[in-house]
Amino acid sequence: MLTAVCKPDLVTTAPVCVLGLGLIGGSVLRAAVRAGRTAWGYNRSADAIAGSAEAGFDTGTDLAAALIRAADTDALIVIAVPMPAVDSILDAIGEYAPNNRITDVVSVKAEVADAVARHGLSPRYVGGHPMAGTNFSGWSAADPDLFVGAVWVVGADDDADPDVWRSVASLALDCGSVVVPVESREHDRAVARISHLPHLLAETLAIVGASDSPLALGLAAGSFRDGTRVASSSPDLVRAMCEGNAEALTEALDDALLLLRRAREELADETSTRTLVTEGHRARTRYEEHERFEITDVTPGDPGWLADLRAAGRKGGVIRQIRVASPG
Ligand code: NAD
């Protein structure tokens, strides 16, 4: 099958309806508008988005109105609320816009996919997770540059519809990201290690540092600041993502505890930290040397496209342009 780079069309330039205008949803709205999309957003509280309308953004607090407009214009709906709020948002989508394409930005993917399935909305859903953020929350922290150069995971589960997939990937590219295709449960196992465990370790470091005399905090510099940065994130958000990924996070935590227990023994018995420090340095170097390549040979909709995308994503493949089958 011949492939070509996707030309702008209704799928890839669809209007965007963002539900939840905090750090991530607000940034999606701003980035989509900057990319030339028609985009509007809903937020449950007016105070939290004060100033957004004056700044020229199409925002409001009427969920039904936002979704009816999405249904009328065949918009891509982006769910950008914490996991505990996803069910109520899906209820509303089921009522007002059940045929629209849907994606989300929630930090866990299997739990969202299960909720979407319970609402009977799976055929029009492809999950997403922009791997970008800060420890700030709310519309005031939203930034159209937040996703520039970042990885944006786009779900490659077995039942993904190619048109919905292209539409979601296209939004990620419009926001300046590169797309990594990943299956939901595989995503959750991976982010348990590189995101959710670091959150728990940051909380631990913060507690240990602050539990000594005030002198310790008075001397704290770069390593304490960087190691504990994400501990200043909203506790509700951190809990939602960690608790929504309990099984994979428990395994990652077990691995970390084993390493720490062994390091403690080595330090107590041999006054040495050699094993942990040597292996840790080697692992960090692997992260720094990790290379990406562009996936250019998979066309959404072709036979085996999802398995091919997943295999490429696992090896470091990213998508920078959407490909469509050439006519003829
Ligand atoms: P945020 O606190 O900045 O914004 C959350 C938004 O959800 C707000 O607009 C809030 O009004 C809305 N909300 C909360 N509860 C609601 C409810 N019951 N009904 C309706 N709306 C509700 O948080 P955020 O960082 O933008 O996170 C949003 C989503 O993005 C979360 O699912 C999070 O896991 C995911 N995410 C966060 C980051 C990050 O670094 N913060 C990165 C990637 C993905």
Side-chain angles (χ1 to χ4, degrees):
M1 171 81 72
L2 290 170
T3 61
V5 173
C6 195
K7 299 259 183 332
D9 60 21
L10 276 179
V11 168
T12 54
T13 59
V16 179
C17 169
V18 185
L19 306 178
L21 297 174
L23 169 69
I24 301 297
S27 299
V28 171
L29 181 69
R30 284 171 171 265
V33 168
R34 190 172 67 180
R37 303 264 191 144
T38 301
W40 61 96
Y42 149 82
N43 203 66
R44 64 177 171 169
S45 112
D47 285 352
I49 50 169
S52 60
E54 291 73 16
F57 294 97
D58 194 344
T59 58
T61 56
D62 187 339
L63 179 56
L67 287 171
I68 289 166
R69 182 173 169 195
D72 288 345
T73 56
D74 198 22
L76 172 65
I77 296 172
V78 182
I79 302 172
V81 296
M83 187 63 222
V86 165
D87 263 314
S88 66
I89 292 289
L90 289 171
D91 283 342
I93 294 174
E95 185 171 352
Y96 297 109
N99 299 314
N100 281 65
R101 282 160 283 149
I102 308 164
T103 188
D104 73 293
V105 296
V106 180
S107 309
V108 290
K109 295 276 54 82
E111 201 179 9
V112 180
D114 291 347
V116 170
R118 279 197 307 278
H119 284 78
L121 296 167
S122 299
R124 304 292 284 157
Y125 168 77
V126 166
H129 182 197
M131 303 302 299
T134 73
N135 40 325
F136 300 106
S137 294
W139 168 265
S140 58
D143 175 0
D145 286 328
L146 184 65
F147 310 114
V148 174
V151 160
W152 192 308
V153 169
V154 174
D157 293 15
D158 274 336
D159 51 0
D161 176 281
D163 284 338
V164 182
W165 201 91
R166 269 194 293 268
S167 184
V168 175
S170 168
L171 175 65
L173 296 179
D174 271 2
C175 291
S177 295
V178 296
V179 167
V180 176
V182 190
E183 191 267 339
S184 292
R185 284 176 170 73
E186 209 171 344
H187 161 277
D188 289 356
R189 282 195 297 276
V191 296
R193 285 169 190 269
I194 55 83
S195 173
H196 304 166
L197 178 64
H199 272 279
L200 294 191
L201 295 179
E203 313 288 3
T204 310
L205 288 176
I207 294 166
V208 173
S211 66
D212 200 5
S213 70
L215 177 66
L217 290 183
L219 299 182
S223 34
F224 187 76
R225 184 191 61 231
D226 295 347
T228 60
R229 180 182 63 81
V230 292
S232 63
S233 308
S234 150
D236 287 344
L237 269 183
V238 175
R239 285 193 56 190
M241 67 185 179
C242 290
E243 293 165 18
N245 197 16
E247 196 179 325
L249 180 54
T250 305
E251 274 180 30
L253 199 50
D254 283 343
D255 287 354
L257 289 171
L258 186 63
L259 288 168
L260 287 172
R261 261 197 306 274
R262 284 185 184 155
R264 189 196 180 284
E265 279 167 22
E266 195 174 311
L267 185 60
D269 297 348
E270 304 168 33
T271 330
S272 171
T273 56
R274 184 177 47 82
T275 307
L276 186 67
V277 172
T278 308
E279 286 180 17
H281 188 268
R282 199 177 295 140
R284 168 73 196 194
T285 305
R286 280 179 60 201
Y287 162 65
E288 283 163 13
E289 291 174 350
H290 179 78
E291 283 188 9
R292 303 190 192 288
F293 65 91
E294 185 174 355
I295 305 170
T296 56
D297 55 354
V298 185
T299 303
D302 278 1
W305 66 284
L306 284 163
D308 290 347
L309 282 181
R310 288 195 293 263
R314 250 174 238 131
K315 285 189 277 185
V318 301
I319 289 173
R320 298 184 194 279
Q321 287 178 320
I322 310 288
R323 308 188 98 74
V324 291
S326 288

